[in-house]
Amino acid sequence: MNRTYALVGILVLLFGAIAYTTYRIWHILPLPQWGKTAVAGLYLLCFLVIFPHYMLGSRMPFSLAAATYEIGNSWMIFFIYALMFFLALDLGRLVHLVPKDFVINSLAGTCTVFGIIIGLLTYGGFHYHHKYREAIEITTEKQLEKPLTIVLDHQPYHLEDAEAAGADFQFSGHTHHGQVWPGNWLTDAMYEKAFGPHQRVKTRYYISSGLGIWGGKFRIGTRSEYIVLKLRSEGRSVATGPRE
């Protein structure tokens, strides 16, 4: 029951935020009524295309499923930043730092908001594709000649289970570390460890942010990576690989 209430609360907040950003887009655009209607309709349509992907799943043709996934999730990233900037503008109006004509039928306001968002996504795309190498060391007390217990678990839930079982090392992913800021704040709150090395007593962990993405190829405030784990006879586990 608590999960149901939480889900309902999240949906109410989500649709409220969508309605708020639609309202703000409608008012800030310096366009005639038909132009505002077209832009607001396209904005809402981009949200709607993601639902067939999750509702129909494998019953959709792959090309259509891929398109709805990419468009819907990429638009969610745009929506996150639109919501943040519109809230910032309204807060600025409340403290008299932002004039009313900057957010009502304003070419300057429109160019500022959408210019910043496009700049962020351009940076996020560059950051996703820009790769470099960095060595990561994870030490273990056991020698290679002794049996090692390694847990591979896609989702880093219940890390205490590996510790209780006496595992030496657990390798997990799934979180993407939120992919874009402030998503990393959410994953940090959701998981005991959302990214990087971790330790519980004698059990070591590494939670990878992975190469994977939700929707568009953007990384803002997080990094993409893949890890190659090497076990050495002197008892060290060394993970190395390109990190982005």
Side-chain angles (χ1 to χ4, degrees):
M1 185 64 69
N2 289 336
R3 294 185 63 181
T4 301
Y5 287 142
L7 179 60
V8 170
I10 291 172
L11 289 176
V12 169
L13 288 175
L14 175 61
F15 286 110
I18 292 172
Y20 168 75
T21 52
T22 305
Y23 169 83
R24 271 281 149 247
I25 287 174
W26 179 278
H27 280 80
I28 198 173
L29 290 175
L31 297 174
Q33 292 291 100
W34 65 266
K36 293 176 181 284
T37 303
V39 173
L42 178 62
Y43 181 75
L44 294 175
L45 178 63
C46 287
F47 285 107
L48 294 177
V49 297
I50 196 173
F51 290 105
H53 174 86
Y54 288 104
M55 293 174 64
L56 300 177
S58 60
R59 289 175 290 174
M60 296 178 66
F62 177 77
S63 57
L64 181 59
T68 57
Y69 177 85
E70 292 288 340
I71 294 172
N73 283 285
S74 299
W75 198 250
M76 286 298 292
I77 296 174
F78 179 92
F79 156 74
I80 288 170
Y81 288 106
L83 176 63
M84 290 170 60
F85 285 115
F86 284 130
L87 286 172
L89 285 178
D90 278 346
L91 179 61
R93 287 182 61 196
L94 290 175
V95 296
H96 306 292
L97 293 177
V98 177
K100 182 178 179 179
D101 58 8
F102 192 77
V103 292
I104 303 296
N105 295 326
S106 170
L107 178 61
T110 301
C111 291
T112 299
V113 172
F114 292 102
I116 291 174
I117 295 173
I118 291 170
L120 276 171
L121 297 183
T122 300
Y123 161 78
F126 172 80
H127 186 49
Y128 174 79
H129 289 93
H130 182 67
K131 294 178 173 61
Y132 62 94
R133 299 185 68 91
E134 179 178 340
I136 308 166
E137 283 199 6
I138 301 172
T139 60
T140 178
E141 296 179 3
K142 285 191 176 180
Q143 297 296 320
L144 188 59
E145 290 78 9
K146 298 180 180 180
L148 292 175
T149 304
I150 299 177
V151 177
L152 300 178
D153 190 352
H154 175 68
Q155 301 185 31
Y157 290 118
H158 306 297
L159 300 185
E160 67 277 5
D161 289 349
E163 176 200 346
D168 296 293
F169 179 71
Q170 177 174 324
F171 204 9
S172 296
H174 178 69
T175 69
H176 301 195
H177 200 208
Q179 184 174 331
V180 298
W181 178 86
N184 50 328
W185 290 0
L186 296 178
T187 55
D188 285 341
M190 291 170 60
Y191 300 94
E192 178 181 337
K193 187 67 175 180
F195 169 66
H198 186 54
Q199 182 171 354
R200 293 177 61 99
V201 191
K202 292 184 178 181
T203 302
R204 311 286 177 135
Y205 304 81
Y206 191 85
I207 315 302
S208 174
S209 63
L211 288 171
I213 49 176
W214 292 296
K217 296 181 178 180
F218 310 119
R219 285 276 183 169
I220 302 172
T222 65
R223 65 173 81 193
S224 298
E225 65 178 3
Y226 70 83
I227 301 297
V228 179
L229 180 65
K230 298 180 180 179
L231 301 180
R232 295 183 178 178
S233 59
E234 61 265 36
R236 290 189 302 169
S237 297
V238 181
T240 61
R243 299 182 67 182
E244 177 180 337

